[in-house]
Amino acid sequence: MADLMHALVLQGGQMFLVLVLAPLLMGVVRRIKARLQRRRGADLLQPYYDLWKLLRKEVVPAENASRFYRIAPYVIFAAIWVAAALVPTFASGLMFNWSADLIVIVGLLATARFTLALAGMDVGTSFGGIGASREMMIAVFAEPAMLMVVFTLSMLAHSTQLSAIADYLILQPVGLRISLGLTLVTFTIVLLAENARIPVDNPATHLELTMVHEAMLLEYSGRHLALLEFAAAIKLLLYVSIFICLFFPFGMATGAPAAAAILVGVLLYLLKLGIGGSLLALGESAVAKMRVFRLGEFLGMAFVLGLLAVLLLFVTRGVRG
Amino acid sequence: MNLALDIAHLLAGGLVVISFVLLYQTRLVSLLDSYVAHAVILGCAVGWQAISQHEPALYVTALLALVVKAGVIPLALRRIVRKLNIHREVDQVVSVGLTMLAGTGLTALSVLVMLPVTIHESSIAREDLMFALAVVLLGLLMMTTRRNAVSEIVGFMSLENGLVLAATGAKGMPLVVEISVVLSILIAIFVIATFLFHIREQFETMDVQALDRFRGDLHG
């Protein structure tokens, strides 16, 4: 009974940790980008204030909005939150980590994306339609690349479970693998594409012909908008967490951990999140946004690199038995 | 884990990856930069072979790769590109996505061909030979999908890098043969390059003038 309570507390802690940290990560990224542009930038806590303000505002739906339009933000938020709660962040042996299969997470995110694209088209404005069609185009290229990442890691760790992969990477000597480097690049590109970050989409603009993600949210207001923006923040945290879990899981508490190991895990996780956010801001400041028509090439390259990673791993298998 | 094998794998695999980068680059100047990376990785791979095989002769090959291929040739090509005023040119015949997919197919092909053939060799030699074949095939692919002479020369030289990788992976190649082969190929490239560019220079100037007349009509 005490064990169950312990597991529940840890799992619940993880669920709320991602919820609490997500806007902060967003704030850190925005702040660093602002500093790099020699602006002072908004407060680190600004995303929380924004969400709080939006939550208290009235919802003004479009006249022809269907019921689906009202349900969509809740569905999207729920799917992304569940996915984020499952990913091992500070410990790999949490209660529901067994269900954190990479393919399940890809599926949850695909559900959220599908719902968002439908909601974008629901009101029938041209911006929503453009955003939805571009989002689906990006998804068509990004998802196969993501699956290549999944294949490579599951071939390496003999499992598609995130916690098993993290355990494998922590406990087994993996050695120098070019495949891991290639999947790192592939996953980085997928991360940028899925979170509407700079070479693919610009998260800071509104009312531009190039926008993708913001175009679908254009009609939303009040608590619906708050939920969708919150979901976007959690999604960024989720991807950075998967990145940490797959490529830098070191220091994560494994098995049935002691309190000290968990504390170390949490602190290291926060540190890694900070580094990840800073790198993201740096990268975004260094490159320019790409034309929409070049996205196919960019994401196609990610796919080919992923495929190459699988191939090279296959070779290593073949050669070393 | 076998560190020697891992590093050899990393460097040889890196060479294949840079070959893909070469296929992806359509701008001539960036293409030359990527070729420098190709040559540097080749130099490191050969150097690592020299260390792990205790073969001092291979150091010479590595040095040749680093100095001549990563230094002299790209510099010369860059000068030519700038002189011909084509450093902003984008060279693309087949779409990048298709080329990359074809490249992946060729890499898979070289895996399927090389692994069964070399079954009695050591793992380092097997991996090296396989990656070398992939680099050679990717170089050929590059030569067939590009129209610009500079890109074709870069493709040819990346192909030659693959040959060097194969030669160093297999033990027992005499140093004299190796150096003379490498040197003669390098000299051949120089001759071909200058030859091509002298011809091109003559026709290009005429061509550009002819094109300029039409360009004004099209876009003006």
Side-chain angles (χ1 to χ4, degrees):
Chain A
M1 196 61 199
D3 280 356
L4 187 67
M5 279 306 292
H6 190 63
L8 270 179
V9 165
L10 274 183
Q11 183 65 55
Q14 147 110 24
M15 276 183 84
F16 286 97
L17 187 71
V18 291
L19 210 57
V20 169
L21 282 180
L24 184 65
L25 179 66
M26 209 63 144
V28 169
V29 173
R30 282 187 194 154
R31 180 64 172 271
I32 295 175
K33 277 176 79 172
R35 299 299 302 189
L36 285 173
Q37 291 162 5
R38 308 202 66 176
R39 291 187 286 120
R40 186 182 291 156
D43 197 273
L44 279 182
L45 300 180
Q46 190 62 39
Y48 296 98
Y49 303 146
D50 288 349
L51 288 176
W52 180 240
K53 186 186 74 183
L54 283 173
L55 274 176
R56 287 177 305 153
K57 291 247 176 188
E58 181 193 3
V59 172
V60 187
E63 274 175 23
N64 54 350
S66 71
R67 185 179 295 160
F68 180 80
Y69 175 85
R70 292 162 182 280
I71 301 172
Y74 300 99
V75 176
I76 294 163
F77 184 78
I80 291 180
W81 190 18
V82 168
L86 294 180
V87 173
T89 51
F90 56 88
S92 65
L94 293 186
M95 194 175 174
F96 291 119
N97 275 164
W98 56 269
S99 61
D101 197 282
L102 260 176
I103 294 175
V104 169
I105 285 174
V106 171
L108 280 170
L109 291 172
T111 312
R113 177 175 29 238
F114 173 70
T115 317
L116 184 60
L118 274 187
M121 291 191 291
D122 188 67
V123 183
T125 60
S126 48
F127 265 128
I130 287 180
S133 77
R134 286 183 180 164
E135 175 85 0
M136 291 330 270
M137 183 195 85
I138 291 173
V140 162
F141 288 112
E143 254 173 37
M146 182 67 196
L147 280 179
M148 286 299 139
V149 175
V150 176
F151 284 160
T152 312
L153 289 161
S154 59
M155 269 175 83
L156 205 60
H158 306 287
S159 168
T160 50
Q161 263 180 41
L162 275 170
S163 50
I165 295 173
D167 279 348
Y168 180 86
L169 291 178
I170 295 172
L171 301 175
Q172 308 276 330
V174 180
L176 285 166
R177 292 289 175 105
I178 185 121
S179 299
L180 276 180
L182 289 176
T183 39
L184 191 141
V185 176
T186 306
F187 189 78
T188 311
I189 294 177
V190 172
L191 184 151
L192 294 174
E194 293 274 1
N195 288 292
R197 305 310 297 192
I198 256 182
V200 178
D201 183 10
N202 191 343
T205 64
H206 274 276
L207 294 177
E208 268 198 35
L209 286 175
T210 52
M211 64 185 177
V212 181
H213 181 255
E214 297 297 326
M216 291 185 287
L217 311 187
L218 213 53
E219 293 295 322
Y220 276 104
S221 55
R223 59 174 185 278
H224 290 162
L225 184 59
L227 275 180
L228 288 173
E229 297 216 327
F230 206 172
I234 298 179
K235 195 173 172 188
L236 180 64
L237 181 87
L238 164 70
Y239 266 93
V240 178
S241 300
I242 298 181
F243 190 84
I244 291 171
C245 172
L246 291 183
F247 300 108
F248 303 99
F250 314 103
M252 199 184 267
T254 52
I262 288 175
L263 191 66
V264 170
V266 171
L267 288 178
L268 270 175
Y269 174 64
L270 291 180
L271 181 71
K272 287 188 263 189
L273 267 188
I275 295 174
S278 320
L279 285 179
L280 179 65
L282 266 178
E284 274 197 305
S285 306
V287 294
K289 195 192 158 305
M290 228 171 235
R291 287 176 64 209
V292 173
F293 298 111
R294 280 202 61 201
L295 288 184
E297 272 177 27
F298 183 59
L299 293 169
M301 186 190 70
F303 174 73
V304 169
L305 287 182
L307 198 60
L308 211 57
V310 175
L311 214 66
L312 295 188
L313 202 59
F314 181 71
V315 171
T316 329
R317 279 281 172 76
V319 169
R320 298 173 200 183
Chain B
M1 272 290 147
N2 187 344
L3 191 66
L5 186 55
D6 272 350
I7 292 182
H9 172 76
L10 191 72
L11 289 170
L15 206 61
V16 177
V17 175
I18 303 284
S19 282
F20 273 94
V21 173
L22 289 177
L23 282 179
Y24 180 77
Q25 284 293 0
T26 49
R27 283 175 196 281
L28 288 181
V29 175
S30 341
L31 190 68
L32 289 176
D33 289 344
S34 314
Y35 176 72
V36 172
H38 204 268
V40 167
I41 291 189
L42 177 78
C44 295
V46 176
W48 182 252
Q49 292 281 359
I51 294 172
S52 61
Q53 290 182 18
H54 305 293
E55 190 97 39
L58 285 180
Y59 286 115
V60 181
T61 318
L63 202 68
L64 269 179
L66 283 180
V67 174
V68 180
K69 289 185 183 169
V72 180
I73 292 186
L75 273 180
L77 279 180
R78 196 164 304 171
R79 265 192 65 190
I80 295 174
V81 164
R82 196 152 297 146
K83 226 181 231 170
L84 285 177
N85 206 15
I86 50 173
H87 57 278
R88 285 185 171 278
E89 209 153 280
V90 174
D91 176 29
Q92 194 170 7
V93 180
V94 191
S95 85
V96 170
L98 270 180
T99 320
M100 302 275 282
L101 273 185
T104 323
L106 287 177
T107 315
L109 181 74
S110 61
V111 173
L112 290 178
V113 169
M114 270 303 174
L115 283 192
V117 172
T118 56
I119 208 150
H120 300 297
E121 301 296 321
S122 72
S123 345
I124 287 194
R126 285 180 82 187
E127 282 195 348
D128 261 4
L129 280 176
M130 194 206 66
F131 286 132
L133 182 63
V135 172
V136 168
L137 289 177
L138 290 175
L140 280 174
L141 178 69
M142 176 139 180
M143 288 173 75
T144 49
T145 54
R146 295 301 173 91
R147 199 182 286 146
N148 192 306
V150 182
S151 324
E152 284 184 8
I153 287 181
V154 170
F156 178 58
M157 291 192 308
S158 72
L159 183 157
E160 200 266 330
N161 284 354
L163 291 180
V164 173
L165 185 70
T168 52
K171 274 186 185 176
M173 187 161 172
L175 174 67
V176 185
V177 176
E178 196 165 306
I179 290 181
S180 61
V181 165
V182 171
L183 273 182
S184 60
I185 287 177
L186 293 185
I187 291 166
I189 288 167
F190 262 122
V191 173
I192 292 170
T194 44
F195 192 57
L196 260 177
F197 277 96
H198 274 298
I199 295 174
R200 242 179 99 79
E201 209 166 18
Q202 304 243 321
F203 288 97
E204 190 75 6
T205 44
M206 284 155 64
D207 251 341
V208 168
Q209 277 176 347
L211 279 175
D212 273 345
R213 266 213 320 270
F214 291 104
R215 206 173 277 164
D217 288 338
L218 269 177
H219 294 289

